[in-house]
Amino acid sequence: MSMSLPDHSNGLDADFLVIGSGLAGLYASLQASRHGSVILITKAQLEMSNSSWAQGGIAAALDPEDNPTLHEEDTLQAGRGLCRLSAVEILAEEGPIRVHDLLKRGVPFDRGPDGTPDLGLEGGHQRRRILHANGGATGQAVVQALVPYVQANPAIVIWEGARAVSLLTADARCGGAIIERGGALHALRARATILATGGACGLYTPTTNPGTATGDGIALAYSAGAAVADMEFVQFHPTAFAMGHPAFLLSEALRGEGAELWNANEERFMSRYDPKGELAPRDVVARAVAHEMESTGKDHVFLRLEHLSSHAREQFATLFAGLRSKGFDPLSHPVPVAPAAHFLMGGVAVDLEGRTSLPGLYACGEVSCTGVHGANRLASNSLLECLVFGYRAAEAAKDEGDPPRDARPASMFGPALSPALRRELGQRLFHDAGIERSMEGLVHLRDWLTALPPSPEGLVADRIVAGALAREESRGSQYRSDFPAENPRFLGHFVQQRGRPTDLVRWE
Ligand SMILES: Cc1cc2nc3c(=O)[nH]c(=O)nc-3n(C[C@H](O)[C@H](O)[C@H](O)COP(=O)(O)OP(=O)(O)OC[C@H]3O[C@@H](n4cnc5c(N)ncnc54)[C@H](O)[C@@H]3O)c2cc1C
């Protein structure tokens, strides 16, 4: 494919280039549009993203019995000592403000009899604080409510089917990106480039993520010299439908409403692993499910929903319809479930305003690592993160000056892996960098990755493996069978930057 870098003598293409149209990209674009022109690009269609697939909801301390301090406590507890406290405070304090903005914009959150949002409960939350919509299709409801605002906004130009394949840099500053669209390459120059490309769990098999979640933003940023952090922390969701790829998720919120986990020997098992039973943190439940699968010799356990109340049945109507469309009636049969890769806590390292270590480049949402999730994300905190830190990134980015005129591609993506190699990569990641890891498996995977042709997928997988190898302890979502305990020596974030040794850093 040929590319000519345009002469930008007539100035910038936009003030802000936002890459990715999930919740973080949509919300950052809306906020950025108050300060200048925006080009919003997405490699798929506008509404195709993890955000649209989100089910359970958005956490925010809205109930009179709740407050941001309690939300902070729960987030810190899930993060196993690794959350960046300042980021957690911001998330919990600013969360309700951003959620009120969604309410103002008409997001149809489910309401109780008194007309206020009906707040659900999920594992790890000590209060009911989960806003949800459309019978377990919260993400879709939020995205569908925001998209018309973005489309109607004259300051925002939308490019669908447009994939960022390199950042533009000069003088150690980012000045835009190279976009592949319709077989041609375009250089888009902007004062601020905001990565909102989502996570990387679509690389794994099994996964709950759509095929778009391939960690592109991490590969773009790392290749351009920006730091990434916490890449070893991959969250595995314990209850994904055990049939089909990607695996259909059975939201945590179901267990909040009383769904039970049983093994193939018809034993309800969670109380053997944690006093909180089915509402234990996700990593505990995922490991318990994996152990039960191993000890019973089955590739699944069961989630029992037959006894759920009529209120719960209504709350999850869309989710149940999804299962029925796959030929499965969850109200008459226990549902076979197994863990699947779900969420990446790590990503492009940013400060509290979304600034990466590369000036001019910002990141928000799942692609970023603010440190807010620590070693394990609390359920329903990620949509909230998209709103709170998407807003902050757009606000900070408005102050960027003009980028250098001679910015050039930092490092173009190589061709994507072949479908066969991609499949093998997914299976190897799950096997060797999955729910349980060990030095032996990780080294084996690293050697296999080294022999692959260069690709963004391989680069991201390699960062996950490097983080998992460096962290010789078990904490949150990282379980090392050769180092099964937490070790205070590792109370910090492993930061990786091209050409530099991996560094363990403490963030205030
Ligand atoms: C099944 C499921 C259920 C979930 N349920 C919940 C929930 O109930 N509550 C909650 O808080 N979280 C939930 N999550 C997690 C949450 O959905 C995500 O963390 C969040 O939506 C991430 O939003 P984002 O905007 O950062 O990225 P995404 O929504 O993933 O969007 C990324 C965007 O970037 C685009 N993109 C990627 N690479 C490129 C590229 N190279 N060039 C151009 N565009 C690119 C993609 O096409 C997409 O538009 C769930 C996730 C899944 C998969």
Side-chain angles (χ1 to χ4, degrees):
M1 204 179 306
S2 70
M3 179 191 63
S4 59
L5 282 173
D7 170 11
H8 283 288
S9 48
N10 59 348
L12 301 170
D13 293 290
D15 294 308
F16 305 91
L17 172 61
V18 178
I19 305 177
S21 66
L23 184 55
L26 293 172
Y27 206 70
S29 295
L30 286 172
Q31 191 55 27
S33 71
R34 294 170 188 242
H35 307 296
S37 57
V38 179
I39 300 182
L40 168 61
I41 72 146
T42 179
K43 67 180 175 182
Q45 303 80 36
L46 201 56
E47 295 187 19
M48 179 61 206
S49 60
N50 281 30
S51 299
S52 286
W53 285 26
Q55 295 180 349
I58 304 184
L62 297 187
D63 193 87
E65 302 284 299
D66 197 7
N67 60 58
T69 307
L70 296 178
H71 190 182
E72 259 173 66
E73 271 174 23
D74 294 342
T75 304
L76 295 171
Q77 170 81 17
R80 301 298 312 166
L82 263 203
C83 294
R84 186 190 214 162
L85 185 57
S86 47
V88 176
E89 283 168 0
I90 287 169
L91 184 83
E93 292 284 345
E94 295 181 11
I97 304 170
R98 302 277 78 85
V99 165
H100 278 300
D101 181 48
L102 292 189
L103 287 163
K104 221 173 63 199
R105 288 179 188 270
V107 174
F109 287 117
D110 298 332
R111 310 241 172 194
D114 63 355
T116 60
D118 177 46
L119 299 172
L121 183 68
E122 288 187 344
H125 292 272
Q126 55 181 309
R127 291 285 190 277
R128 287 193 166 262
R129 62 168 75 99
I130 315 301
L131 290 105
H132 49 88
N134 288 357
T138 309
Q140 194 188 42
V142 175
V143 168
Q144 282 180 353
L146 291 187
V147 158
Y149 285 95
V150 172
Q151 285 170 327
N153 190 317
I156 303 177
V157 171
I158 300 165
W159 284 21
E160 292 180 296
R163 178 171 177 246
V165 292
S166 176
L167 295 176
L168 288 169
T169 56
D171 307 333
R173 189 195 188 292
C174 178
I178 302 289
I179 311 301
E180 185 190 324
R181 189 197 195 195
L185 293 174
H186 307 264
L188 293 185
R189 204 164 156 264
R191 285 196 290 127
T193 302
I194 303 180
L195 288 173
T197 46
C201 284
L203 293 178
Y204 278 77
T205 306
T207 178
T208 63
N209 288 201
T212 43
T214 46
D216 292 11
I218 293 164
L220 288 166
Y222 183 84
S223 304
V228 302
D230 285 350
M231 289 296 292
E232 62 275 28
F233 293 119
V234 176
Q235 183 174 75
F236 295 86
H237 199 290
T239 58
F241 188 45
M243 302 165 186
H245 178 80
F248 184 71
L249 184 73
L250 290 151
S251 166
E252 178 114 16
L254 286 164
R255 279 174 280 129
E257 297 302 329
E260 297 170 357
L261 280 164
W262 292 68
N263 68 17
N265 298 335
E266 300 193 11
E267 296 157 346
R268 189 174 174 192
F269 57 84
M270 267 316 299
S271 60
R272 281 195 264 119
Y273 293 88
D274 193 287
K276 290 194 184 123
E278 277 85 354
L279 292 182
R282 266 188 196 169
D283 59 310
V284 176
V285 184
R287 274 198 303 280
V289 169
H291 284 152
E292 294 295 319
M293 284 163 52
E294 202 179 320
S295 64
T296 57
K298 297 281 183 197
D299 62 3
H300 58 265
V301 297
F302 293 101
L303 190 68
R304 302 198 71 146
L305 308 165
E306 307 99 292
H307 57 285
L308 291 194
S309 67
S310 52
H311 173 260
R313 289 173 189 212
E314 210 175 292
Q315 181 178 333
F316 301 109
T318 307
L319 202 154
F320 289 175
L323 278 173
R324 287 197 192 96
S325 73
K326 295 174 192 311
F328 204 89
D329 182 5
L331 296 178
S332 50
H333 297 288
V335 186
V337 294
H342 185 57
F343 182 85
L344 182 65
M345 271 68 75
V348 183
V350 292
D351 68 10
L352 300 174
E353 288 167 323
R355 285 184 201 87
T356 72
S357 62
L358 181 65
L361 181 67
Y362 292 74
C364 54
E366 194 173 335
V367 67
S368 69
C369 179
T370 57
V372 77
H373 305 299
N376 202 9
R377 173 182 68 108
L378 184 65
S380 287
N381 265 356
S382 53
L383 292 176
L384 191 67
E385 172 188 29
C386 292
L387 297 171
V388 168
F389 291 99
Y391 179 94
R392 288 185 146 247
E395 277 300 294
K398 73 176 192 288
D399 299 325
E400 287 291 337
D402 282 353
R405 281 183 180 274
D406 56 348
R408 285 280 182 273
S411 166
M412 297 284 284
F413 278 2
L417 291 180
S418 68
L421 275 180
R422 202 27 228 286
R423 241 185 334 271
E424 189 173 353
L425 172 67
Q427 287 157 356
R428 284 179 180 266
L429 273 170
F430 199 84
H431 189 263
D432 290 329
I435 297 171
E436 285 196 18
R437 299 109 186 247
S438 69
M439 160 95 101
E440 199 188 352
L442 289 165
V443 168
H444 191 239
L445 177 53
R446 187 181 62 190
D447 292 346
W448 183 79
L449 288 168
T450 308
L452 280 185
S455 67
E457 299 98 319
L459 188 156
V460 174
D462 213 31
R463 305 279 66 76
I464 293 172
V465 171
L469 272 170
R471 185 169 292 283
E472 294 184 331
E473 66 158 354
S474 294
R475 183 182 297 277
S477 66
Q478 145 115 338
Y479 186 82
R480 284 276 304 253
S481 53
D482 44 354
F483 295 98
E486 285 183 4
N487 180 341
R489 191 159 74 81
F490 292 103
L491 266 176
H493 305 266
F494 277 108
V495 174
Q496 304 182 47
Q497 204 162 359
R498 203 179 57 177
R500 295 195 190 173
T502 299
D503 204 8
L504 186 64
V505 176
R506 281 176 192 251
W507 290 340
E508 294 308 315

Coordinates of all heavy atoms in Angstrom, one line a residue, residues 347-410:
G347 N -2.2 -1.2 30.6 CA -2.4 -0.5 29.3 C -1.3 0.6 29.2 O -0.3 0.6 29.9
V348 N -1.7 1.7 28.4 CA -0.8 2.8 28.2 C -0.8 3.6 29.5 O -1.8 4.1 30.0 CB -1.2 3.6 27.0 CG1 -0.2 4.7 26.8 CG2 -1.4 2.8 25.8
A349 N 0.4 3.8 30.1 CA 0.5 4.4 31.4 C 0.2 5.9 31.2 O 0.7 6.6 30.4 CB 1.9 4.3 31.9
V350 N -0.8 6.4 32.1 CA -1.2 7.8 32.0 C -1.2 8.4 33.4 O -1.3 7.7 34.4 CB -2.6 7.9 31.4 CG1 -2.6 7.6 29.9 CG2 -3.6 7.1 32.1
D351 N -1.2 9.8 33.4 CA -1.4 10.5 34.7 C -2.9 10.6 34.9 O -3.7 10.1 34.1 CB -0.6 11.8 34.7 CG -1.2 12.8 33.7 OD1 -2.2 12.6 33.1 OD2 -0.5 13.9 33.5
L352 N -3.3 11.4 35.9 CA -4.7 11.5 36.2 C -5.5 12.3 35.2 O -6.7 12.4 35.3 CB -4.8 12.1 37.6 CG -4.1 11.3 38.7 CD1 -4.2 12.0 40.0 CD2 -4.8 9.9 38.8
E353 N -4.8 12.9 34.2 CA -5.5 13.6 33.2 C -5.3 13.0 31.8 O -5.4 13.7 30.8 CB -5.1 15.1 33.2 CG -5.7 15.7 34.4 CD -5.1 17.1 34.7 OE1 -3.8 17.2 34.5 OE2 -5.8 18.0 35.1
G354 N -4.9 11.7 31.8 CA -4.8 11.0 30.6 C -3.6 11.2 29.8 O -3.4 10.7 28.6
R355 N -2.6 12.0 30.3 CA -1.4 12.2 29.5 C -0.5 11.0 29.6 O -0.2 10.4 30.7 CB -0.5 13.3 30.2 CG -1.1 14.7 29.9 CD -0.1 15.8 30.5 NE -0.9 17.0 30.7 CZ -1.6 17.3 31.8 NH1 -1.6 16.5 32.8 NH2 -2.3 18.4 31.8
T356 N 0.0 10.5 28.4 CA 0.9 9.4 28.4 C 2.3 10.0 28.6 O 2.5 11.2 28.7 CB 0.9 8.7 27.0 OG1 1.4 9.6 26.0 CG2 -0.6 8.3 26.6
S357 N 3.3 9.1 28.5 CA 4.7 9.7 28.6 C 5.2 10.3 27.3 O 6.3 10.9 27.3 CB 5.7 8.5 29.1 OG 5.7 7.5 28.1
L358 N 4.4 10.2 26.3 CA 4.8 10.9 25.0 C 3.9 12.1 24.8 O 2.7 12.1 24.7 CB 4.5 9.9 23.8 CG 4.8 10.4 22.4 CD1 6.3 10.5 22.3 CD2 4.3 9.4 21.4
P359 N 4.5 13.3 24.9 CA 3.8 14.5 24.8 C 2.9 14.6 23.6 O 3.3 14.1 22.5 CB 4.8 15.6 24.8 CG 6.0 15.0 25.5 CD 6.0 13.6 25.1
G360 N 1.7 15.1 23.8 CA 0.7 15.2 22.6 C -0.2 13.9 22.5 O -1.2 13.9 21.8
L361 N 0.2 12.9 23.2 CA -0.6 11.6 23.2 C -1.3 11.4 24.5 O -0.6 11.4 25.6 CB 0.3 10.4 22.9 CG -0.4 9.1 22.8 CD1 -1.3 9.0 21.6 CD2 0.6 7.9 22.7
Y362 N -2.6 11.2 24.4 CA -3.4 10.9 25.6 C -4.1 9.5 25.5 O -4.1 9.0 24.3 CB -4.5 12.0 25.7 CG -4.0 13.3 26.0 CD1 -3.3 14.1 25.1 CD2 -4.1 13.9 27.3 CE1 -2.8 15.3 25.4 CE2 -3.6 15.1 27.6 CZ -2.9 15.8 26.6 OH -2.4 17.1 26.9
A363 N -4.5 8.9 26.6 CA -5.2 7.7 26.5 C -6.3 7.6 27.6 O -6.1 8.2 28.7 CB -4.2 6.5 26.7
C364 N -7.4 7.0 27.2 CA -8.5 6.9 28.2 C -9.3 5.6 28.0 O -9.3 5.1 26.9 CB -9.4 8.1 28.2 SG -10.1 8.5 26.6
G365 N -10.0 5.2 29.0 CA -10.7 3.9 28.9 C -9.8 2.7 29.1 O -8.7 2.8 29.7
E366 N -10.3 1.6 28.5 CA -9.5 0.3 28.8 C -8.1 0.3 28.3 O -7.3 -0.4 28.8 CB -10.4 -0.9 28.3 CG -9.9 -2.2 28.9 CD -10.8 -3.4 28.6 OE1 -12.0 -3.2 28.3 OE2 -10.2 -4.5 28.5
V367 N -7.8 1.1 27.2 CA -6.5 1.1 26.7 C -5.5 1.7 27.6 O -4.3 1.4 27.5 CB -6.4 1.9 25.3 CG1 -6.7 3.3 25.5 CG2 -5.1 1.7 24.6
S368 N -6.0 2.5 28.6 CA -5.1 3.2 29.4 C -4.8 2.5 30.7 O -5.6 1.6 31.1 CB -5.7 4.6 29.8 OG -6.8 4.4 30.6
C369 N -3.8 2.9 31.4 CA -3.6 2.4 32.8 C -3.4 3.6 33.7 O -2.3 4.2 33.7 CB -2.3 1.5 32.8 SG -2.0 0.9 34.5
T370 N -4.5 4.0 34.4 CA -4.4 5.0 35.4 C -3.9 4.5 36.7 O -3.6 5.2 37.6 CB -5.8 5.7 35.6 OG1 -6.7 4.6 36.0 CG2 -6.3 6.4 34.4
G371 N -4.0 3.1 36.8 CA -3.8 2.5 38.1 C -5.0 2.4 39.0 O -5.0 1.9 40.1
V372 N -6.2 2.8 38.4 CA -7.4 2.9 39.2 C -7.9 1.5 39.6 O -8.5 1.3 40.6 CB -8.5 3.7 38.5 CG1 -9.1 2.9 37.4 CG2 -9.5 4.2 39.4
H373 N -7.6 0.5 38.8 CA -8.1 -0.9 39.1 C -7.1 -1.7 39.9 O -7.4 -2.8 40.3 CB -8.4 -1.6 37.8 CG -9.3 -0.9 36.9 ND1 -10.6 -0.6 37.3 CD2 -9.2 -0.4 35.6 CE1 -11.2 0.1 36.3 NE2 -10.4 0.2 35.3
G374 N -5.8 -1.3 40.0 CA -4.8 -2.0 40.7 C -4.7 -3.4 40.0 O -4.6 -3.5 38.8
A375 N -4.7 -4.5 40.9 CA -4.4 -5.8 40.4 C -5.7 -6.5 40.0 O -5.7 -7.6 39.5 CB -3.7 -6.6 41.5
N376 N -6.8 -5.8 40.2 CA -8.1 -6.5 39.8 C -9.2 -5.4 39.8 O -9.3 -4.7 40.7 CB -8.5 -7.5 40.9 CG -9.4 -8.6 40.4 OD1 -9.7 -8.6 39.2 ND2 -9.9 -9.4 41.3
R377 N -10.0 -5.4 38.7 CA -11.0 -4.4 38.6 C -12.3 -4.8 39.3 O -12.7 -6.0 39.2 CB -11.3 -4.2 37.1 CG -12.5 -3.3 36.9 CD -12.8 -3.2 35.4 NE -13.3 -4.4 34.8 CZ -14.5 -4.7 34.5 NH1 -15.5 -3.7 34.6 NH2 -14.9 -5.8 33.9
L378 N -12.9 -3.9 40.0 CA -14.2 -4.1 40.6 C -15.2 -4.0 39.5 O -15.2 -3.1 38.7 CB -14.4 -3.0 41.7 CG -15.7 -3.0 42.5 CD1 -15.7 -4.2 43.4 CD2 -15.8 -1.8 43.3
A379 N -16.2 -4.9 39.6 CA -17.2 -5.0 38.6 C -17.9 -3.6 38.4 O -18.1 -2.9 39.3 CB -18.3 -6.0 39.0
S380 N -18.2 -3.3 37.1 CA -18.9 -2.1 36.7 C -18.1 -0.8 36.9 O -18.7 0.3 36.8 CB -20.3 -2.0 37.4 OG -21.1 -2.9 36.8
N381 N -16.8 -0.9 37.2 CA -16.0 0.3 37.4 C -15.4 0.8 36.0 O -14.9 1.8 35.9 CB -14.8 0.1 38.3 CG -15.2 0.6 39.7 OD1 -16.2 1.2 40.0 ND2 -14.2 0.4 40.7
S382 N -15.5 -0.1 35.0 CA -14.8 0.3 33.8 C -15.6 1.2 32.9 O -15.0 2.2 32.3 CB -14.3 -0.9 33.0 OG -15.4 -1.8 32.7
L383 N -16.9 1.1 32.8 CA -17.7 2.1 32.1 C -17.5 3.4 32.7 O -17.4 4.5 32.1 CB -19.1 1.6 31.9 CG -19.4 0.4 31.1 CD1 -20.9 0.0 31.1 CD2 -19.0 0.6 29.6
L384 N -17.5 3.4 34.1 CA -17.3 4.6 34.8 C -16.0 5.3 34.5 O -15.9 6.5 34.4 CB -17.5 4.3 36.3 CG -17.6 5.5 37.2 CD1 -18.9 6.3 37.0 CD2 -17.5 5.2 38.7
E385 N -14.9 4.4 34.5 CA -13.6 4.9 34.1 C -13.6 5.6 32.8 O -13.0 6.7 32.6 CB -12.6 3.7 34.1 CG -11.3 4.1 33.6 CD -10.3 2.9 33.4 OE1 -10.8 1.8 33.1 OE2 -9.1 3.1 33.5
C386 N -14.3 5.0 31.8 CA -14.4 5.7 30.5 C -14.9 7.1 30.6 O -14.4 8.0 29.9 CB -15.3 4.9 29.5 SG -14.7 3.2 29.1
L387 N -16.0 7.2 31.4 CA -16.6 8.6 31.5 C -15.7 9.5 32.2 O -15.4 10.6 31.7 CB -17.9 8.4 32.3 CG -19.0 7.6 31.7 CD1 -20.2 7.4 32.7 CD2 -19.6 8.2 30.4
V388 N -15.2 9.1 33.4 CA -14.5 10.0 34.3 C -13.2 10.4 33.6 O -12.8 11.6 33.5 CB -14.3 9.4 35.7 CG1 -13.3 10.2 36.5 CG2 -15.6 9.3 36.4
F389 N -12.4 9.4 33.1 CA -11.1 9.8 32.6 C -11.2 10.2 31.1 O -10.2 10.9 30.7 CB -10.1 8.6 32.9 CG -9.8 8.5 34.4 CD1 -10.5 7.6 35.2 CD2 -8.9 9.4 35.0 CE1 -10.2 7.5 36.5 CE2 -8.7 9.3 36.3 CZ -9.3 8.4 37.1
G390 N -12.2 9.8 30.4 CA -12.4 10.3 29.0 C -12.6 11.8 29.1 O -12.1 12.6 28.3
Y391 N -13.5 12.3 30.1 CA -13.7 13.7 30.3 C -12.4 14.4 30.6 O -12.1 15.4 30.0 CB -14.7 13.8 31.4 CG -15.1 15.2 31.8 CD1 -16.2 15.8 31.2 CD2 -14.4 16.0 32.7 CE1 -16.6 17.1 31.5 CE2 -14.7 17.3 33.0 CZ -15.8 17.8 32.4 OH -16.1 19.1 32.8
R392 N -11.7 13.8 31.6 CA -10.5 14.5 32.0 C -9.4 14.6 30.9 O -8.7 15.6 30.8 CB -9.9 13.7 33.2 CG -10.7 13.9 34.5 CD -10.0 13.2 35.6 NE -10.3 14.0 36.8 CZ -9.4 14.7 37.5 NH1 -8.2 14.6 37.2 NH2 -9.8 15.4 38.6
A393 N -9.3 13.5 30.1 CA -8.3 13.6 29.0 C -8.6 14.7 28.0 O -7.8 15.4 27.6 CB -8.3 12.2 28.3
A394 N -9.9 14.8 27.7 CA -10.3 15.8 26.7 C -10.1 17.2 27.3 O -9.6 18.1 26.6 CB -11.8 15.7 26.4
E395 N -10.3 17.4 28.6 CA -10.1 18.7 29.2 C -8.6 19.1 29.2 O -8.2 20.2 28.9 CB -10.6 18.7 30.6 CG -12.1 19.0 30.7 CD -12.5 20.3 30.2 OE1 -12.1 21.3 30.7 OE2 -13.2 20.3 29.1
A396 N -7.8 18.1 29.5 CA -6.3 18.4 29.6 C -5.8 18.6 28.2 O -4.9 19.5 27.9 CB -5.6 17.2 30.2
A397 N -6.3 17.9 27.2 CA -5.8 17.9 25.8 C -6.0 19.3 25.2 O -5.4 19.6 24.2 CB -6.4 16.8 25.0
K398 N -7.0 20.0 25.7 CA -7.3 21.3 25.0 C -6.2 22.3 25.1 O -6.1 23.2 24.3 CB -8.6 21.9 25.6 CG -8.5 22.5 27.0 CD -9.8 23.1 27.4 CE -9.7 24.0 28.6 NZ -9.5 23.3 29.9
D399 N -5.3 22.1 26.0 CA -4.2 23.0 26.1 C -3.0 22.7 25.3 O -1.9 23.4 25.4 CB -3.8 23.1 27.6 CG -4.9 23.6 28.5 OD1 -5.7 24.4 28.0 OD2 -5.1 23.1 29.6
E400 N -3.0 21.6 24.4 CA -1.9 21.3 23.6 C -1.6 22.3 22.5 O -2.6 22.8 21.9 CB -2.1 19.9 22.9 CG -2.0 18.7 23.9 CD -0.6 18.5 24.4 OE1 0.4 18.9 23.7 OE2 -0.5 17.9 25.5
G401 N -0.4 22.6 22.2 CA 0.0 23.5 21.1 C 0.1 22.7 19.8 O -0.2 21.5 19.8
D402 N 0.5 23.4 18.8 CA 0.6 22.8 17.5 C 1.7 21.7 17.5 O 2.8 21.9 18.1 CB 1.0 23.8 16.4 CG -0.2 24.6 16.0 OD1 -1.3 24.2 16.4 OD2 -0.1 25.5 15.2
P403 N 1.5 20.6 16.8 CA 2.6 19.5 16.8 C 3.6 19.9 15.7 O 3.4 20.8 14.9 CB 1.8 18.3 16.3 CG 0.7 18.9 15.5 CD 0.3 20.2 16.1
P404 N 4.8 19.3 15.8 CA 5.8 19.6 14.8 C 5.3 19.3 13.4 O 4.6 18.3 13.2 CB 7.0 18.6 15.2 CG 6.5 17.7 16.2 CD 5.2 18.2 16.7
R405 N 5.7 20.1 12.4 CA 5.2 19.9 11.0 C 5.8 18.7 10.4 O 5.2 18.1 9.4 CB 5.5 21.1 10.2 CG 4.5 22.2 10.5 CD 4.7 23.4 9.6 NE 3.7 24.5 10.0 CZ 2.5 24.5 9.4 NH1 2.2 23.7 8.5 NH2 1.7 25.4 9.8
D406 N 7.0 18.3 10.8 CA 7.7 17.2 10.1 C 7.4 15.8 10.8 O 8.2 14.9 10.7 CB 9.2 17.5 10.0 CG 9.8 17.7 11.4 OD1 9.0 17.9 12.4 OD2 11.0 17.7 11.5
A407 N 6.3 15.7 11.5 CA 6.0 14.4 12.2 C 6.0 13.3 11.2 O 5.4 13.4 10.1 CB 4.8 14.5 13.0
R408 N 6.6 12.1 11.5 CA 6.6 11.0 10.6 C 6.1 9.7 11.3 O 6.1 9.7 12.5 CB 8.1 10.7 10.2 CG 8.7 11.7 9.2 CD 8.2 11.3 7.8 NE 8.7 12.1 6.8 CZ 8.1 13.2 6.3 NH1 7.1 13.7 6.9 NH2 8.6 13.9 5.3
P409 N 5.7 8.7 10.6 CA 5.2 7.5 11.2 C 6.3 6.9 12.2 O 7.4 6.8 11.8 CB 5.0 6.5 10.1 CG 4.9 7.4 8.9 CD 5.7 8.6 9.1
A410 N 5.9 6.6 13.4 CA 6.8 6.1 14.4 C 7.3 4.7 14.1 O 8.4 4.4 14.1 CB 6.2 6.2 15.8

